[in-house]
Amino acid sequence: MDVGKLLMKASDDLSVRRAFGTAYEKDDMLIIPVAIVTGGGGGGTGRPGPQDPAAGPDNPPGESPAGQEATPQDSARTDAGGGFGGLVWPAGAYVVKGGQVRWVPAVDATIVVLASLSLVRVLARTWSRSRRHRGG
């Protein structure tokens, strides 16, 4: 894929259109969904070093795994790589009714349960350490 096309795709994925969804009307209310959008990427190029890290005792440096000598073309080879990732998390919605705007947060039950379990674990660990410290 062309780098320019990749960057255009990334900018489309992280645009304001992802954060604010398409507004719609329901029961005389205007609802505007909102999400948290985050992402990042990176890339780079490099040349193979003088010693191949994959070379083992049976493959001396400078020799390919098939047992053939490395060609001068291989030493001038440039490797490139890159990646991109993103996350869109529902945050809630703005609800407009009768000229009044209010925020309605999205509640994710999974996050609530995981946070509760984490709190219970911290409290249990603190309690058990305090019992060991007191000797009882």
Side-chain angles (χ1 to χ4, degrees):
M1 178 178 259
D2 181 27
V3 174
K5 288 180 183 178
L6 181 65
L7 291 175
M8 288 300 294
K9 176 74 172 131
S11 68
D12 285 344
D13 287 343
L14 294 177
S15 70
V16 72
R17 290 184 305 251
R18 295 279 184 193
F20 293 95
T22 304
Y24 62 94
E25 286 194 46
K26 184 175 183 181
D27 299 332
D28 283 338
M29 292 184 290
L30 178 66
I31 300 170
I32 305 168
V34 181
I36 298 170
V37 180
T38 184
T45 61
R47 291 195 174 126
Q51 185 175 14
D52 184 7
D58 297 332
N59 294 329
E63 191 173 305
S64 67
Q68 301 170 347
E69 289 293 322
T71 62
Q73 296 168 344
D74 290 341
S75 62
R77 185 182 80 215
T78 301
D79 293 329
F84 172 78
L87 174 68
V88 179
W89 194 282
Y94 286 111
V95 178
V96 182
K97 184 176 182 181
Q100 298 292 319
V101 179
R102 65 184 173 107
W103 170 254
V104 180
V107 178
D108 188 351
T110 304
I111 297 296
V112 172
V113 168
L114 290 176
S116 300
L117 290 175
S118 297
L119 178 63
V120 168
R121 180 177 179 196
V122 167
L123 292 174
R125 180 176 279 177
T126 303
W127 180 73
S128 66
R129 285 184 180 174
S130 67
R131 283 185 50 108
R132 267 189 272 149
H133 182 68
R134 286 187 284 154

